[in-house]
Amino acid sequence: QVQLVESGGGLVQAGGSLRLSCAASGRTFSGYVLGWFRQASGKEREFVSAISWSGSNTAYADSVKGRFTMSRDNAKNTVYLQMNSLRPEDTAVYYCAASPGWSASAIRTMSRYNYWGQGTQVTVSS
């Protein structure tokens, strides 16, 4: 059984930082792209970032570029999302997801991902 487990969410003041983690288990994720999406209350789920297996390719939503950094440790089957300069509009449930391969044109699309975690809440107070 495949599992993606997110952690690291919480409550932080605007301007603060959080680091999310996503641990993958249950199968080898060799070659898999891992991504982060988020869903604010009453809104659709949106792409945040993605990283290729090697780490050589990354993608970020314009709204987080320059503030968020994604990295991965393949030995631990874990990816991280370092979130700095947080804003109230970053408040959402953050989901980790896995995709079988990198596609620059499609990596921001939810349908590209076939495994999803349960999500972790991030709340940024003003």
Side-chain angles (χ1 to χ4, degrees):
Q1 184 176 356
V2 174
Q3 277 194 316
L4 297 175
V5 180
E6 303 95 335
S7 61
L11 174 64
V12 64
Q13 288 188 332
S17 299
L18 282 174
R19 189 177 80 155
L20 305 184
S21 300
C22 172
S25 62
R27 60 156 291 157
T28 177
F29 278 86
S30 178
Y32 267 70
V33 172
L34 289 178
W36 288 98
F37 288 75
R38 67 185 182 185
Q39 187 167 18
S41 180
K43 296 187 177 181
E44 293 186 352
R45 195 171 298 189
E46 64 176 5
F47 171 79
V48 176
S49 65
I51 189 167
S52 61
W53 169 251
S54 66
S56 60
N57 292 308
T58 56
Y60 294 94
D62 287 344
S63 59
V64 306
K65 201 172 294 183
R67 299 188 298 123
F68 291 11
T69 303
M70 192 171 179
S71 60
R72 67 189 297 165
D73 183 340
N74 290 334
K76 296 181 179 180
N77 266 358
T78 300
V79 293
Y80 306 97
L81 184 66
Q82 179 66 43
M83 306 186 296
N84 298 328
S85 302
L86 283 162
R87 305 167 180 169
E89 54 264 40
D90 295 317
T91 295
V93 177
Y94 283 70
Y95 296 92
C96 178
S99 170
W102 184 269
S103 168
S105 62
I107 204 62
R108 300 165 188 263
T109 305
M110 286 179 56
S111 61
R112 183 76 183 176
Y113 296 79
N114 50 2
Y115 298 112
W116 290 83
Q118 293 300 306
T120 184
Q121 176 72 45
V122 171
T123 303
V124 184
S125 63
S126 57

